[in-house]
Amino acid sequence: MGAVQPEFLQLLSWDPHVRVLLLPRSHPQFSGEDCLVAGCDKMSYFAHQKGMCTGCTERWKKGDLPFDEFVTIRRSGRIVGFFPCQVAHCERPGRRATLLCSSHDYQRRKVYGLPLEDFLAHPEVQPLPALAPCRVAACDRQGETGGGYCMPHADQCRDLRQAGALEDEDLWRLTTPAIAESRKVSLRGLPDRVVAEILFGLQERIAQRLLHKDYLLRNLSTNARLQQVTSLDELDLDVLSRHDRTQVRGFLKHIRRFGLSPETERHKDVWDASVFGLGGTFSFTGITQPWLRE
């Protein structure tokens, strides 16, 4: 981690205890076009989406509204991410329908029987501390359910059980990804070395002015977690998509160059020309006489 600049970590709102990257929307190498749909805070990355995010594009295709009318209708529906309980200073996640965490909602309905406004003003209503983290290694949400999962992961686990597709729940907890949120990339559940490699590789690629999409960075983290690697160079590229393979190779290029210098290269038969400020390599393998090659 010493090779990653503090300014870069600050740019990504990096907290070593939370281990979640937050890509700054204002940064030109992390941003896309704002989704045209009113009330949507996601971004559009692809030309075929006509300026809409993936979710809004799918909703539009399923409906029968003209495009110009569809984008003016304010998007409603579920809130992705942490929605705080409305009891002052309560650290637990709330529900959009009730505006309260499950404990305070039960208290309001079953104990006091009060309207929300009166309940929030009741002197005996106290904030509650945060729950333990979700048991899914990649997840930074609170474990709200009896099984210790956040609600979305609890639903996933239940569906897999019902389908008979959950053979090893411990392995599922280690390998399943975090709930996708716009601009967020979870590095939780990854070995320290892999985390450091991703941060360093991303820093170097940003220095080269390369663009990065949040979903591809999530794929990188997810693939490392699925394969349970201890270093990115252990990834099996053959099972990855073309875009994911390209991204991994880009990260590996910078990781492998870390610590190289003219002094380290001069002892090899093939030199990495980047240490001399050039592209490509210098190969001396065609020189058959050992003394001349030396």
Side-chain angles (χ1 to χ4, degrees):
M1 289 292 289
V4 185
Q5 300 299 317
E7 296 81 7
F8 184 71
L9 296 177
Q10 185 177 7
L11 174 70
L12 300 177
S13 302
W14 176 255
D15 183 329
H17 302 293
V18 179
R19 292 193 172 206
V20 174
L21 304 177
L22 183 60
L23 308 185
R25 192 174 196 136
S26 59
H27 196 287
Q29 288 158 261
F30 290 122
S31 65
E33 297 293 330
D34 289 338
C35 179
L36 294 176
V37 175
C40 183
D41 65 349
K42 295 187 177 181
M43 292 181 286
S44 173
Y45 291 117
F46 305 105
H48 73 271
Q49 293 177 337
K50 296 187 175 184
M52 296 185 294
C53 69
T54 300
C56 287
T57 301
E58 293 176 355
R59 290 191 304 114
W60 174 63
K61 288 181 177 178
K62 291 177 181 177
D64 54 7
L65 289 175
F67 175 80
D68 292 342
E69 181 180 349
F70 177 82
V71 297
T72 64
I73 300 174
R74 188 171 185 82
R75 181 170 186 175
S76 60
R78 67 191 181 100
I79 293 178
V80 179
F82 183 79
F83 180 73
C85 175
Q86 295 303 288
V87 171
H89 308 298
C90 182
E91 298 179 359
R92 297 188 182 181
R95 300 282 187 274
R96 188 176 185 186
T98 65
L99 304 180
L100 300 171
C101 66
S102 56
S103 296
H104 279 130
D105 181 52
Y106 178 87
Q107 190 179 31
R108 183 193 71 80
R109 291 183 296 105
K110 300 296 186 180
V111 178
Y112 294 108
L114 293 173
L116 178 62
E117 186 176 349
D118 294 337
F119 175 75
L120 293 176
H122 197 287
E124 294 183 7
V125 175
Q126 299 296 316
L128 296 171
L131 298 163
C134 175
R135 295 177 69 192
V136 169
C139 187
D140 67 331
R141 301 187 182 191
Q142 296 179 37
E144 309 169 60
T145 64
Y149 298 121
C150 67
M151 291 301 298
H153 279 127
D155 291 342
Q156 288 182 19
C157 189
R158 180 202 61 218
D159 293 344
L160 288 171
R161 284 199 194 101
Q162 291 177 351
L166 190 64
E167 298 179 1
D168 187 337
E169 189 168 339
D170 289 337
L171 181 61
W172 177 79
R173 285 196 291 264
L174 288 174
T175 57
T176 200
I179 305 303
E181 298 179 42
S182 181
R183 301 186 300 119
K184 286 183 67 174
V185 180
S186 173
L187 303 187
R188 296 168 66 87
L190 295 174
D192 290 345
R193 174 169 176 165
V194 174
V195 171
E197 289 175 340
I198 291 176
L199 290 172
F200 175 74
L202 185 57
Q203 171 185 266
E204 299 306 294
R205 286 167 62 83
I206 290 300
Q208 289 190 324
R209 302 188 180 280
L210 297 173
L211 303 179
H212 290 80
K213 299 178 176 66
D214 56 0
Y215 72 92
L216 285 176
L217 290 172
R218 281 195 291 271
N219 287 353
L220 175 61
S221 173
T222 296
N223 288 324
R225 202 177 289 108
L226 279 171
Q227 296 189 31
Q228 292 288 283
V229 297
T230 59
S231 175
L232 289 182
D233 62 9
E234 297 174 3
L235 280 169
D236 181 358
L237 302 186
D238 292 337
V239 302
L240 305 185
S241 71
R242 177 172 60 88
H243 291 298
D244 290 336
R245 284 198 301 271
T246 299
Q247 180 174 240
V248 170
R249 288 183 177 122
F251 273 76
L252 289 175
K253 177 183 71 175
H254 292 291
I255 293 164
R256 289 166 180 165
R257 285 177 175 174
F258 176 67
L260 295 185
S261 68
E263 181 61 24
T264 62
E265 292 304 282
R266 75 181 185 88
H267 299 286
K268 303 175 183 177
D269 289 337
V270 179
W271 296 0
D272 187 327
S274 67
V275 302
F276 303 100
L278 303 172
T281 59
F282 299 145
S283 176
F284 302 95
T285 57
I287 302 176
T288 57
Q289 304 96 321
W291 64 269
L292 181 56
R293 185 186 305 175
E294 182 64 25

